[in-house]
């Protein structure tokens, strides 16, 4: 389940990628805390890992983690690099 749905952004031990935070401690969490983390991931997450959703000038919707931003551009880090 993890490899199919979560590993594109998260890592547990040596499985997955490091786009989002390492969630190796998930094995020690209660069911309720895991459910909240899945359904509302920004509730308790470090600000470095907030997911942003942007609309480009041509109307395309993209999302990812904020890599950098300026008056001219926004760079998002997306799943799978």
């Amino acid at each position: 389940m993890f490899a199919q749905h979560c590993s594109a952004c998260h890592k547990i031990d040596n499985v997955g990628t490091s786009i989002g935070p390492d969630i190796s401690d998930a094995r020690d969490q209660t069911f309720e805390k895991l459910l909240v983390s899945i359904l509302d991931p920004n509730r308790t997450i470090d600000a470095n890992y907030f997911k942003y959703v942007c609309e480009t000038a041509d109307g395309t919707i993209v999302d990812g983690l904020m890599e950098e931003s300026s008056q001219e551009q926004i760079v998002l880090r997306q799943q799978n690099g």
Side-chain angles (χ1 to χ4, degrees):
M1 185 69 95
F2 171 80
Q4 184 179 9
H5 296 284
C6 309
S7 65
C9 293
H10 296 285
K11 193 171 202 173
I12 291 181
D13 298 328
N14 291 324
V15 177
T17 59
S18 296
I19 299 293
D22 184 305
I23 56 172
S24 294
D25 66 344
R27 293 173 282 206
D28 301 326
Q29 303 295 325
T30 65
F31 174 78
E32 290 79 14
K33 186 166 182 172
L34 285 173
L35 186 60
V36 168
S37 294
I38 292 167
L39 297 177
D40 187 8
N42 288 342
R43 182 182 291 188
T44 59
I45 201 160
D46 183 295
N48 293 327
Y49 296 109
F50 279 140
K51 179 180 176 182
Y52 290 86
V53 179
C54 300
E55 182 177 357
T56 64
D58 68 1
T60 303
I61 304 294
V62 294
D63 63 17
L65 304 180
M66 186 75 68
E67 190 74 23
E68 71 179 69
S69 66
S70 68
Q71 293 292 332
E72 295 80 32
Q73 69 177 0
I74 295 172
V75 178
L76 299 177
R77 186 170 21 138
Q78 296 183 299
Q79 289 180 329
N80 299 318

